[in-house]
Amino acid sequence: MSYYNEERQPTRLVRRKVRKRKRRPFRRLLRLMLVLLVLLMLGGVAYAGYLAYKVKTTADDSYKGLANGNQSEMRMDKVAMGKDPVNILLMGVESYKGSPGHTDALMVLTVNPDTKEASITSIPRDSRVYLPVIGRKSKITHAYAYGKKGHKEEATIDAVENFLDVPIDYYVRTNFQGFKEVVDSVGGIDVNVPFDFDQKNLKGKKLYFHKGKMHLNGDEALTYVQMRKQDVRGDFGRQDRQRQAMEAVAQKALSIKSISRADNLLQSVGSNVQTNISLRELFGMRNFYSSIQNKKLEQLKIGGQDEYINGQYFFEPDPATVQKASERMKEILDYKGKGAASSDSNSTGNSSESGQ
């Protein structure tokens, strides 16, 4: 108000000239701000479009359906993620040049979007179970190797379904390189190391882990979840570390705000992950995951004992713990029966023996 009183003292002509001089820079600044705002909005829309394109491209690159049309033979009707209770098999595949590959990590994630229940069941890699692909017992880790080219996932899924007597509706397969890249793309993960140990990475370099909280990069995280010989709990200790790392990755991925990290994460996933989960089904899980992300997954344990057959090590699952885990999974799934699946053999059936 005082500003305009001071300007009113000169003549009217002078007053108009002063106003013009004051308004021009303001108008230019206003125009510049509007232009910048429009550019930012367009940039945001452009990036949102780019990110949507990347998500779709990643989903398309990673998608691989199953020969059964993505419907388990143990289901009477097809189920849909985000709508129905489902089982998702997580496979960590170790495969080197010239090797048929094998599953170094196997976990079954059971989710019910209605009851908001979720559990995870780790299957020891050396579990001696019946493998439908070869018609006899062997280590479950070998099912992938015995599978035909292009259908290795199906061979593992069949073995898991037969072992746990539950349907597997979806699968997610990743490799070691994929795990490393995903961890790096989210900026590393924080874990609570249960005890001091050292372990060589894939290149033979010894890495050291100290009890307590540690921040791990991709190479360190992979080495952390691979170690089992120094763990007094053996494969069970490794399973706990694998679950711990997976939960840490999920939490970091959900909190990503950096554009470059989101882009890097999508690139890592697209080149190293394979699944029969479509983009539409994946989005159908968003509300469910957001409702349980602060809850701890129920962990179902499979117990057993170490055995040596013809000089080779096996883990012999305890039928009682297998049945208990199976029944709990069925309870979460609200699964009543096998449907069209054959019950000729099961995890404790009288199948022919194999040392390999």
Side-chain angles (χ1 to χ4, degrees):
M1 190 72 179
S2 60
Y3 170 81
Y4 286 106
N5 285 337
E6 291 173 0
E7 294 297 333
R8 284 194 183 107
Q9 292 175 3
T11 64
R12 182 172 295 182
L13 180 60
V14 173
R15 186 171 66 246
R16 287 177 180 171
K17 286 183 178 179
V18 171
R19 282 185 178 177
K20 285 184 178 181
R21 283 198 296 268
K22 293 297 181 182
R23 287 170 69 183
R24 281 174 184 164
F26 177 74
R27 285 179 178 174
R28 290 195 191 106
L29 180 61
L30 183 60
R31 264 193 226 106
L32 181 60
M33 289 176 65
L34 287 172
V35 169
L36 288 173
L37 182 61
V38 170
L39 288 175
L40 286 171
M41 289 174 66
L42 289 175
V45 171
Y47 184 71
Y50 166 74
L51 199 59
Y53 167 77
K54 287 287 292 185
V55 170
K56 185 180 185 307
T57 302
T58 299
D60 290 343
D61 291 343
S62 300
Y63 184 84
K64 182 189 174 186
L66 298 173
N68 60 12
N70 295 332
Q71 179 176 336
S72 169
E73 292 183 359
M74 298 183 71
R75 293 280 194 187
M76 292 294 290
D77 301 301
K78 197 169 184 178
V79 294
M81 181 178 290
K83 179 183 176 183
D84 304 304
V86 297
N87 266 338
I88 306 166
L89 179 63
L90 309 176
M91 292 184 269
V93 175
E94 182 180 25
S95 182
Y96 301 105
K97 190 175 181 180
S99 165
H102 61 269
T103 50
D104 194 59
L106 276 176
M107 301 181 190
V108 180
L109 180 63
T110 308
V111 297
N112 187 320
D114 293 327
T115 64
K116 301 296 186 291
E117 292 176 287
S119 71
I120 191 162
T121 308
S122 294
I123 304 174
R125 54 172 305 222
D126 294 320
S127 297
R128 181 170 163 270
V129 304
Y130 179 79
L131 305 184
V133 68
I134 56 174
R136 52 185 165 84
K137 282 191 173 185
S138 185
K139 295 182 180 182
I140 199 166
T141 185
H142 294 154
Y144 188 89
Y146 284 126
K148 294 180 180 178
K149 186 177 181 180
H151 298 282
K152 291 179 176 292
E153 293 79 20
E154 281 94 335
T156 301
I157 289 171
D158 288 345
V160 173
E161 285 188 332
N162 191 83
F163 176 51
L164 295 175
D165 192 31
V166 293
I168 296 297
D169 305 297
Y170 297 95
Y171 78 92
V172 178
R173 178 188 64 75
T174 188
N175 52 40
F176 285 169
Q177 185 62 29
F179 180 78
K180 287 171 56 179
E181 289 185 7
V182 166
V183 171
D184 283 332
S185 70
V186 298
I189 58 173
D190 294 319
V191 299
N192 282 311
V193 182
F195 53 86
D196 293 345
F197 69 91
D198 58 74
Q199 174 78 4
K200 290 183 178 180
N201 65 8
L202 294 178
K203 293 183 179 180
K205 179 182 177 181
K206 186 176 287 189
L207 302 181
Y208 296 90
F209 299 87
H210 307 286
K211 183 177 180 179
K213 188 174 181 179
M214 284 188 69
H215 183 78
L216 309 179
N217 62 26
D219 182 47
E220 293 165 340
L222 176 60
T223 308
Y224 176 71
V225 300
Q226 281 185 305
M227 190 280 291
R228 62 171 173 159
K229 290 185 178 179
Q230 298 179 58
D231 196 320
V232 294
R233 298 175 61 227
D235 207 39
F236 292 107
R238 184 171 71 159
Q239 289 170 21
D240 285 343
R241 280 180 275 115
Q242 288 172 347
R243 284 192 291 264
Q244 183 188 33
M246 283 177 55
E247 290 176 4
V249 169
Q251 291 297 330
K252 286 295 289 288
L254 286 171
S255 63
I256 282 181
K257 294 180 180 178
S258 163
I259 289 174
S260 60
R261 280 192 179 172
D263 199 12
N264 291 338
L265 177 60
L266 288 172
Q267 289 183 18
S268 300
V269 170
S271 58
N272 295 290
V273 174
Q274 184 175 292
T275 181
N276 67 333
I277 302 174
S278 69
L279 183 60
R280 178 180 58 81
E281 290 169 320
L282 191 60
F283 281 139
M285 281 292 289
R286 287 182 301 175
N287 292 336
F288 171 76
Y289 191 81
S290 63
S291 68
I292 69 162
Q293 61 178 309
N294 295 323
K295 299 179 181 178
K296 273 203 167 186
L297 288 175
E298 181 180 352
Q299 296 184 15
L300 306 182
K301 303 282 188 178
I302 293 177
Q305 59 187 14
D306 300 333
E307 280 196 9
Y308 286 86
I309 300 177
N310 297 327
Q312 186 175 3
Y313 170 77
F314 289 89
F315 177 79
E316 192 67 38
D318 173 26
T321 63
V322 174
Q323 183 177 355
K324 185 177 180 180
S326 175
E327 288 176 352
R328 178 56 182 146
M329 293 167 77
K330 289 175 182 176
E331 187 178 347
I332 296 174
L333 290 172
D334 192 25
Y335 179 70
K336 304 300 182 185
K338 287 187 174 183
S342 170
S343 58
D344 291 339
S345 58
N346 52 48
S347 59
T348 55
N350 297 320
S351 305
S352 57
E353 302 293 328
S354 170
Q356 183 66 25

